[in-house]
Structures are given as C-alpha cells and as structure tokens.
C-alpha cells in the first residue's frame, strides 16, 4: 500500500507541474486514491518535494522560502489518502530537537487550502542541528502521525 500511496502522490505532483517530465515517466497514477491537485503550479515548478509514506496516508511538503536558522518559514503540505481512507479534516504541524529535548519557541498555525491541502505558517528553528517535523493527520476520531528529520546548518 505504501508504494501505491507514493505513486499516487508523485503522480499528483507531476500533474500539478511540481516535478519535471522525467518524474512523470517514473510513476503512473494509482487507482483508488483521493488525490487533488495539491500545490499551486507556479510556486512548486522545479522544486523538490519532501515525501513521507504512512500506513493510511502519504504526505508531501515544501518549505517556503526555505529553512534557515532563526528565520521564519512556512510549509505547503499535501496529504493523499489511501483507498477507503477519508480525506483529512485537519492537520497539526510541530517540530522538536530530540537530542536537546525541546521544541520550537513558536507555535505553527495551520489552515486548510482545499481538500488534502494545508499551509503551516510561523515555524522557526532557532538553532542548528537535527529537527524533527511532526505532522498529525486528523480524520475524525482517528489520527496518523508522520515525521520527517530536517538538518539545519
């Protein structure tokens, strides 16, 4: 199922113009997935998407304007549900430094941008090192948590 989720998310990103034509040949759309065009075409043209595959969802994210120490950034996030899974209603985004046992000094605000699309704003990594982004995908009473490590220099 993870391979099918990844293929569906990649196909959606290709269709939205986020990835080049070589990526289009690499993955065909997977049937049975609820994938909307998640990103605005001009914003992500030529930008690499960061992908996370979960059990019930796949997630792609992109930092804008990029991640640097002590500079605010936002995340464009797309969530693709597996067949039979509902489209997420809400998303929470947080980050921490596991080795230092602390989180960010600011709380991200997340707002929906359409079905399966979200933008998280107000993120700031105040020191260099390994940060772990935490995405909590909410679909009613169920939640799935996906994480991604980010090295900030």
């Amino acid at each position: 199922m993870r391979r099918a989720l990844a293929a569906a998310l990649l196909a959606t990103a290709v269709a939205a113009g986020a990835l080049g034509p070589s990526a289009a040949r690499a993955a065909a759309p997977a049937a049975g997935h609820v994938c909307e065009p998640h990103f605005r075409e001009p914003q992500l043209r030529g930008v690499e998407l960061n992908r996370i595959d979960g059990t019930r969802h796949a997630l792609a994210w992109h930092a804008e304007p990029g991640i640097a120490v002590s500079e605010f950034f936002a995340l464009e996030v797309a969530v693709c549900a597996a067949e039979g899974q509902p489209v997420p209603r809400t998303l929470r985004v947080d980050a921490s430094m596991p080795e230092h046992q602390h989180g960010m000094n600011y709380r991200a605000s997340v707002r929906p941008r359409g079905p399966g699309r979200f933008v998280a704003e107000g993120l700031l990594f105040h020191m260099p090192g390994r940060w772990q982004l935490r995405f909590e995908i909410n679909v009613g009473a169920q939640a799935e948590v996906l994480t991604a490590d980010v090295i900030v220099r």
Side-chain angles (χ1 to χ4, degrees):
M1 176 170 16
R2 286 182 179 199
R3 185 176 298 153
L5 278 169
L9 191 57
L10 179 61
T12 300
V14 169
L19 302 174
S22 61
R25 288 189 298 272
H33 287 76
V34 182
C35 292
E36 299 292 328
H38 294 301
F39 296 108
R40 294 183 310 269
E41 185 175 325
Q43 182 177 358
L44 289 183
R45 187 172 297 283
V47 174
E48 182 178 334
L49 297 175
N50 299 284
R51 291 201 341 246
I52 308 167
D53 297 329
T55 305
R56 298 182 309 252
H57 299 87
L59 181 140
W61 61 273
H62 163 70
E64 185 62 41
I67 300 174
V69 175
S70 296
E71 292 186 17
F72 282 100
F73 64 95
L75 297 178
E76 289 276 346
V77 182
V79 181
C80 180
E83 184 175 357
Q85 297 295 321
V87 174
R89 295 180 186 164
T90 61
L91 177 75
R92 288 186 189 178
V93 178
D94 200 359
S96 65
M97 293 190 86
E99 286 81 9
H100 295 264
Q101 298 180 356
H102 67 75
M104 295 185 298
N105 293 331
Y106 297 91
R107 181 171 293 173
S109 63
V110 180
R111 60 182 161 56
R113 302 282 304 249
R117 294 178 53 203
F118 302 90
V119 62
E121 297 174 305
L123 292 107
L124 184 139
F125 294 163
H126 59 273
M127 61 187 293
R130 181 175 77 94
W131 286 85
Q132 187 173 71
L133 283 168
R134 182 179 190 274
F135 300 91
E136 184 179 312
I137 303 164
N138 295 299
V139 289
Q142 298 177 357
E144 181 172 19
V145 176
L146 302 177
T147 61
D149 287 343
V150 177
I151 305 299
V152 181
R153 300 179 200 272

